Amino acid sequence: MLVGYFGCIGAWKINQCALSFFSIILTLLIVLELASAILLVQKQEHVKHYVESSMYDTIQNRYNSESAFKNAFDKIQEEFQCCGVRMYTDWLSTNWEADGLTSLNVDNKYSAKIEHGIGSYGVIGKNVYGPVPVSCCNNHGKLLYHENCGTSFVQAPLSTYAQFLNTRGCVDVMYDSVHKSLNTVVAICVLLCAIQIVGVVLSVLLCCFPSHHK
């Protein structure tokens, strides 16, 4: 608004000070916008790594104790139809556990749905058993396990229940979603810069040749 005000006043009154201020600030904005667009393209992997680290920190240290982080991550998993950071098995390496639910107290009415997992063996030295949040479940899983999908997946290796889960990791799904919009964002930046460059050129012309516009 401030820059626009000086631009309007400068063009209306042919005020060289206002036009000069308008041109300088607009030029700085153009430089900053172009720098942001270049950084956006060049630093994609750095941003992805930062987001990935933050997501791992959330599920390992904050999900079970801070409701704000829990609600945020559940919303991400539901909206993007994903589970975990890289994949759904990320939950097996966290301290998260389904509240009050163990492999010993799964309701009997679900036993028919999980008996196919009996006889499956985990990898020695690696935890392959454990629940996942309800937000990890796909539509098929929510239909069959409408009360405790994910939290009851404890009587067999988690991979046994993969058909009921969103198996893609959230960091890849979110990155793909953002990456699809990247070209649009860059195109908008270029268009804005082009319009602003026209504004700078016109303001410089008005500033340098005021007598021709009186």
Side-chain angles (χ1 to χ4, degrees):
M1 291 178 64
L2 181 63
V3 176
Y5 171 78
F6 277 96
C8 291
I9 292 297
W12 181 32
K13 298 293 186 178
I14 314 297
N15 186 298
Q16 290 184 326
C17 291
L19 287 171
S20 298
F21 178 83
F22 176 77
S23 301
I24 293 171
I25 297 300
L26 206 57
T27 301
L28 290 175
L29 288 175
I30 292 171
V31 173
L32 289 174
E33 287 168 0
L34 289 176
S36 298
I38 294 171
L39 286 174
L40 182 63
V41 174
Q42 291 183 341
K43 302 295 183 179
Q44 291 182 67
E45 287 302 317
H46 293 277
V47 174
K48 184 178 181 181
H49 177 72
Y50 173 77
V51 172
E52 182 178 344
S53 300
S54 299
M55 294 176 76
Y56 271 120
D57 178 63
T58 296
I59 67 173
Q60 292 173 352
N61 304 316
R62 303 177 185 274
Y63 186 87
N64 203 36
S65 59
E66 301 180 40
S67 59
F69 283 88
K70 178 182 184 301
N71 294 335
F73 206 87
D74 282 337
K75 188 174 183 179
I76 289 173
Q77 293 190 139
E78 289 173 352
E79 291 191 359
F80 286 91
Q81 296 183 338
C82 57
C83 183
V85 182
R86 283 290 182 179
M87 61 186 304
Y88 65 97
T89 54
D90 288 333
W91 287 105
L92 298 177
S93 61
T94 70
N95 295 325
W96 178 83
E97 294 178 357
D99 295 336
L101 200 66
T102 68
S103 58
L104 300 177
N105 61 5
V106 177
D107 195 11
N108 289 332
K109 68 180 179 180
Y110 292 103
S111 60
K113 296 190 180 80
I114 61 178
E115 62 183 3
H116 64 280
I118 297 176
S120 299
Y121 295 93
V123 179
I124 296 176
K126 184 177 181 181
N127 181 26
V128 294
Y129 289 80
V132 294
V134 177
S135 56
C136 277
C137 294
N138 56 29
N139 292 332
H140 181 48
K142 291 177 181 177
L143 180 64
L144 292 181
Y145 299 86
H146 58 279
E147 291 184 6
N148 57 0
C149 182
T151 58
S152 63
F153 295 173
V154 292
Q155 294 196 3
L158 186 58
S159 58
T160 305
Y161 305 98
Q163 60 182 310
F164 308 120
L165 302 173
N166 296 312
T167 54
R168 288 196 67 188
C170 290
V171 68
D172 290 330
V173 174
M174 291 180 65
Y175 181 77
D176 290 345
S177 177
V178 173
H179 187 70
K180 290 178 181 178
S181 304
L182 183 61
N183 291 336
T184 302
V185 173
V186 172
I188 291 174
C189 286
V190 172
L191 178 61
L192 287 175
C193 287
I195 295 173
Q196 290 168 339
I197 289 172
V198 172
V200 171
V201 172
L202 292 177
S203 63
V204 169
L205 290 175
L206 282 173
C207 185
C208 294
F209 307 102
S211 60
H212 295 283
H213 305 279
K214 290 183 179 181

